[in-house]
Amino acid sequence: MQETTLDIHYVGSYKSVSECPMLPEPEYCFIGRSNVGKSSIINYITGRDEIARTSKKPGKTQSINLFKVTEESPWMMADLPGYGFAAISKTTRGEWSEMIDGYVMGRQNLVCTFLLIDIRHKRLENDREFMNYMGEKGIPFCILYTKSDKLKPMELKNSLAAYEEAMLTEWEAMPPTIVTSSVKDLGRQEILDYIHNLNEIFKSQAL
Ligand code: GDP
């Protein structure tokens, strides 16, 4: 039986990957457009709302925020800034994407990126570009579809099928996907199982 809260603590906020401490634990990052539900999902997975609140403090929203989850096999969680926020200037957006690029390309212990997609929307251009970028660089990611409770079951089924169809026009196969709702308690265990499986693989490769 999985605990509903994780034993997690804040490690620090960093402006670039080169400032992040080198750590031996496997790391998982959360990335998505602003308002996609990233803070909500981090609260939901960890069961600790102070975690995403820390990331939302002024000065930390534009940082790489690292947290350590202390379990039998400890792992790291990285909360990255939201992208595609229309209200910010191009220059700032450039800095953000540089931070994200630098992190996903340079973070040695990064095992998987959770890319959040609001399943109510059609495939959006900046999500598409980001996925293609990750694909070109060979950086593994898992899609977390958010806010699934906002759709009726049939609408959800159709949206998932439409998203997959749109992706498969460019991709040979779908990456792993998990349907979530932080409001209706959906997806947490699947995400944690996914992380725990990858932790085992990471450990066996590190031996
Ligand atoms: P962030 O900007 O990506 O961190 O997004 P937030 O976590 O702050 O969420 C943005 C808005 O979406 C907030 O009003 C949340 O309450 C709402 N939201 C997030 N996740 C869900 C969800 O699973 N279901 C529903 N119904 N609303 C959600």
Side-chain angles (χ1 to χ4, degrees), residues 33-40 56 147 149-150 181-183:
R33 291 160 52 86
S34 301
N35 217 35
V36 71
K38 185 163 58 72
S39 310
S40 305
K56 287 221 157 173
K147 309 190 191 182
D149 60 281
K150 291 207 177 194
S181 163
S182 53
V183 169

Side-chain angles (χ1 to χ4, degrees), residues 12-60:
S13 298
Y14 309 93
K15 289 285 171 211
S16 71
V17 68
S18 57
E19 283 182 20
C20 294
M22 295 271 273
L23 297 165
E25 292 86 8
E27 192 160 296
Y28 299 85
C29 72
F30 290 77
I31 299 185
R33 291 160 52 86
S34 301
N35 217 35
V36 71
K38 185 163 58 72
S39 310
S40 305
I41 216 147
I42 290 175
N43 287 345
Y44 168 53
I45 297 169
T46 59
R48 306 272 302 270
D49 34 314
E50 70 268 28
I51 296 301
R53 243 199 341 259
T54 303
S55 295
K56 287 221 157 173
K57 279 187 190 150
K60 298 201 170 156

Side-chain angles (χ1 to χ4, degrees), residues 60-102:
K60 298 201 170 156
T61 47
Q62 298 176 46
S63 310
I64 301 162
N65 298 307
L66 294 185
F67 303 91
K68 182 171 179 173
V69 180
T70 312
E71 295 188 320
E72 199 182 323
S73 285
W75 50 279
M76 303 297 300
M77 185 183 262
D79 183 10
L80 268 74
Y83 61 78
F85 197 7
I88 60 167
S89 74
K90 272 209 166 109
T91 334
T92 315
R93 191 158 59 220
E95 279 168 25
W96 284 16
S97 66
E98 219 172 272
M99 188 192 289
I100 294 174
D101 283 1

Side-chain angles (χ1 to χ4, degrees), residues 154-169:
M154 205 54 200
E155 290 170 340
L156 175 63
K157 200 170 165 234
N158 291 338
S159 290
L160 290 167
Y163 205 92
E164 184 164 324
E165 194 186 325
M167 261 197 90
L168 290 176
T169 58

Side-chain angles (χ1 to χ4, degrees), residues 120-136:
R120 294 172 304 161
H121 304 312
K122 282 211 286 277
R123 194 156 186 244
L124 299 171
E125 186 53 25
N126 49 9
D127 290 330
R128 191 187 144 263
E129 278 172 11
F130 190 67
M131 283 182 203
N132 289 352
Y133 172 78
M134 298 285 278
E136 275 162 28

Side-chain angles (χ1 to χ4, degrees), residues 192-205:
L192 289 173
D193 288 347
Y194 187 77
I195 290 173
H196 292 146
N197 280 336
L198 289 177
N199 282 348
E200 287 308 308
I201 297 171
F202 182 89
K203 258 200 317 194
S204 67
Q205 287 175 349

